[in-house]
Amino acid sequence: MVELIRELALTFVPLFVAMDPVGNLPIFLALTEEGTATHRKKTANLATLTAFGVGLLFVAVGKAIFSLLGIEVTDFLMAGGIILLILAIRYLITGKALDTEDLSASETIGVVPLGTPLVVGPAVLAALLLLMGQHHIAIVLSSFIVNLVIQW
């Protein structure tokens, strides 16, 4: 039992840090500030379901796709870091991470940008892939689902 809790903690913490539910909350609020409570709830549900689907799909076929294309995990991590660097530079230059006036009225903000890449982006996908190599799939998926519940 102690070993199970230890393994859950070892998989939960990296996914929690990669998902960053506390950091995503201000972005969610900014993107849904003009919507009603019903719209916010619908958007949160859609973002969580999208993140779950993308994460589950990646767990199922991510490694196979990487092998087929000749991509290694380090390549994926580098690409994710470059994307984050570009977004950070854009934020420093323009003072805005996202153009919220165009997105706030959209019905699909739960899918993009909230569900993916904010909730399940390159960091979470890389963490899932790395954790799958170190821990049992049931433990990794349990930690992923608990993190999604917290994110929701």
Side-chain angles (χ1 to χ4, degrees), residues 1-11 135-136 138-140 142-143:
M1 184 66 172
V2 172
E3 184 64 26
L4 178 66
I5 293 171
R6 182 181 162 283
E7 293 232 5
L8 281 170
L10 287 173
T11 56
H135 303 280
H136 192 271
I139 292 173
V140 175
S142 298
S143 293

Side-chain angles (χ1 to χ4, degrees), residues 71-88:
I71 299 171
E72 295 190 20
V73 176
T74 53
D75 301 331
F76 187 68
L77 292 172
M78 288 290 289
I82 291 169
I83 290 170
L84 291 175
L85 175 66
I86 291 168
L87 290 175

